[in-house]
Amino acid sequence: MLCVHDLTMRFGKLVALDAASFDVQEATIHGIIGPNGSGKTTFFNLVTGFLKPTAGKVTWQGRTVSGLPPHLVSRAGVARTFQNTSNYANLTVRENLVMASRNRIETGWLARLVNLKSARTEEAGHGRTADELLERFGLRDMADARAVDLPGGTQKILGVVIALATAPRLLMLDEPLAGLNSGEKVRLMEIIRSIRGDGLTILLIEHDMKAIMRTCDRITVLCYGKLLAEGTPAEISRDPETIRAYLGEEVA
Ligand SMILES: Nc1ncnc2c1ncn2[C@@H]1O[C@H](COP(=O)(O)OP(=O)(O)OP(=O)(O)O)[C@@H](O)[C@H]1O
Ligand SMILES: [Mg+2]
């Protein structure tokens, strides 16, 4: 379980996150929604070590992750994607996945240094992981294309698959659907649902309400740093505060 306790982040006078507390159950898709500037990305930055909280903490599977540097959070099994794509543009799709697979938690670089034979087996393992991911997520035909040459939507899908190649237990996606066409959106939401089936926990920031309401098990609504509401998609879509602050009347 991911537990958020009184999490607060101030930037000078601005309170980007104001004593937010909520839990995320494992093997669920948990949506984080709210107007622009509500603290959603700030929350991700606090969980993954890109920001240190002013107060409060986040625990993942009983260990405090807030305040740790990003590489230690990642070692605790947490991976994220960014609001803007960030692949290694000049590497091929397959090379990107092999690189990410090398960053898996169980891969000691020291072991690779001291034992060449097991290192070779390990390298072959990363190649196999990459090939399995290419196959499973329909990227095999573009394995040798440079990431930068892919259409924008495919680059964003690749971003999610790269995060998966690090073998996380918690995957945090910041507006993965932004900029995708409707076919790409359907494909990415299928990927997200299928990895929940593997037991991954997924935190999903999205402004696409149709995708959020169809896919999430639970939703947390943030509004200018405050936790406004929390519940199932059905509960959130008829919550008066959420409708007033964010959804508008048409979703109700
Ligand atoms: N590093 C920073 N320094 C100062 N202010 C910041 C910083 N990061 C975020 N903020 C401010 O904190 C508030 C919350 O920003 P955040 O990016 O978390 O919002 P968001 O909910 O992700 O919005 P969006 O939906 O537009 O992505 C905003 O007012 C933003 O300007
Ligand atoms: Mg954001």
Side-chain angles (χ1 to χ4, degrees), residues 1-19:
M1 194 159 75
L2 183 86
C3 302
V4 181
H5 300 274
D6 285 331
L7 194 64
T8 301
M9 185 71 215
R10 290 199 191 91
F11 297 109
K13 277 189 184 153
L14 178 91
V15 188
L17 210 58
D18 191 359

Side-chain angles (χ1 to χ4, degrees), residues 29-33 209 212-213 216-221 229-234 236-237:
I29 301 177
H30 192 108
I32 309 282
I33 65 172
M209 280 310 108
I212 281 280
M213 294 300 174
C216 292
D217 298 296
R218 291 189 76 77
I219 299 171
T220 294
V221 188
E230 153 91 48
T232 64
I236 293 301
S237 57

Side-chain angles (χ1 to χ4, degrees), residues 35-42 83 174-175 205 207:
N36 296 114
S38 287
K40 304 181 298 294
T41 298
T42 299
Q83 213 163 333
D174 196 347
E175 298 193 30
I205 297 177
H207 288 291

